[in-house]
Amino acid sequence: AQSVTQLGSHVSVSEGALVLLRCNYSSSVPPYLFWYVQYPNQGLQLLLKYTSAATLVKGINGFEAEFKKSETSFHLTKPSAHMSDAAEYFCAVLPTNAGKSTFGDGTTLTVKP
Amino acid sequence: NAGVMQNPRHLVRRRGQEARLRCSPMKGHSHVYWYRQLPEEGLKFMVYLQKENIIDESGMPKERFSAEFPKEGPSILRIQQVVRGDSAAYFCASSRDTGDTEAFFGQGTRLTVV
């Protein structure tokens, strides 16, 4: 069984500030981990994924995430927020023995001018 | 290469009617997943299907909901006798095979029950 916890349902940052969205997971088998972004009334777009290669994963739009097994975390960061980053972000875990993904409840990112 | 296609994008049903949501996976994908997103919540897994087989339906409500993925044609999520609580966004995702690490998502169908 697996689960995902996203700490903070709402995060607000100023434009140009660091973005940090937190994700902790639990999984009975080594997991694959994902971050998705969802814009209003849109589907989910994959930002990045961890599949047991490098622990620091770079994604689209300047985002990156670091897999820390000891902390069971996969936090998403971006050095400098842009207005267009305002959206909802979901962390998801997929067990490596395949099957369904489990999603966190999401974090809404607001970027202030 | 078209992505995962869901239709309709928006669906309005009166209480008691049936809702049929369609999902055409990406070309070459034989695995389909359905998720439901209630307002202000994350995605909750409903069902995982391969062609003509239901692999995992542990997230499906016991009554009124059914899903199929026939040999030909799209996957269908069917909700009978809809109630207000069924109002949500329903997302479909597809992948090539069991070992595929990425599922691609459709734009979703937003169901409103009035």
Side-chain angles (χ1 to χ4, degrees):
Chain A
Q2 64 267 10
S3 66
V4 176
T5 301
Q6 290 185 239
L7 298 174
S9 57
H10 292 84
V11 171
S12 181
V13 301
S14 297
E15 191 173 18
L18 171 71
V19 176
L20 171 61
L21 305 183
R22 300 176 186 273
C23 173
N24 287 87
Y25 71 91
S26 68
S27 179
S28 56
V29 298
Y32 297 136
L33 295 160
F34 305 81
W35 275 99
Y36 290 88
V37 61
Q38 183 182 31
Y39 297 100
N41 296 317
Q42 297 293 315
L44 276 74
Q45 180 182 6
L46 181 67
L47 275 178
L48 48 81
K49 63 180 179 181
Y50 165 77
T51 57
S52 73
T55 56
L56 182 62
V57 181
K58 294 187 184 298
I60 62 172
N61 300 339
F63 284 93
E64 63 181 36
E66 186 173 7
F67 173 68
K68 292 186 176 181
K69 184 178 179 180
S70 61
E71 299 177 8
T72 61
S73 68
F74 191 57
H75 302 331
L76 182 71
T77 60
K78 181 174 180 177
S80 177
H82 191 273
M83 297 296 289
S84 61
D85 294 327
E88 188 152 21
Y89 292 80
F90 293 96
C91 180
V93 60
L94 174 70
T96 52
N97 60 357
K100 57 188 185 283
S101 293
T102 298
F103 285 78
D105 287 337
T107 297
T108 301
L109 176 66
T110 302
V111 182
K112 299 174 291 185
Chain B
N1 184 16
V4 178
M5 303 300 293
Q6 289 188 249
N7 67 83
R9 290 290 307 277
H10 300 274
L11 182 61
V12 179
R13 283 288 178 265
R14 295 185 183 280
R15 282 178 292 171
Q17 291 185 318
E18 177 180 288
R20 280 181 167 244
L21 288 63
R22 294 175 182 77
C23 170
S24 296
M26 286 183 69
K27 186 177 181 180
H29 287 195
S30 59
H31 297 238
V32 166
Y33 310 80
W34 284 94
Y35 293 83
R36 177 166 63 177
Q37 184 180 30
L38 294 168
E40 307 297 322
E41 295 187 15
L43 278 74
K44 305 299 183 189
F45 169 79
M46 298 182 76
V47 63
Y48 165 31
L49 310 104
Q50 293 178 28
K51 288 282 188 181
E52 300 183 282
N53 283 305
I54 296 175
I55 307 302
D56 181 349
E57 56 181 348
S58 58
M60 286 281 269
K62 299 297 181 195
E63 297 177 344
R64 300 187 298 108
F65 285 72
S66 63
E68 62 177 7
F69 189 17
K71 186 177 181 181
E72 301 291 338
S75 175
I76 305 288
L77 179 67
R78 183 182 177 202
I79 312 173
Q80 296 178 292
Q81 300 175 326
V82 295
V83 300
R84 288 249 171 90
D86 296 333
S87 295
Y90 292 83
F91 289 95
C92 168
S94 73
S95 64
R96 282 176 301 182
D97 56 43
T98 301
D100 200 340
T101 59
E102 183 174 349
F104 293 81
F105 281 81
Q107 296 289 294
T109 293
R110 281 158 180 81
L111 172 66
T112 303
V113 179
V114 297

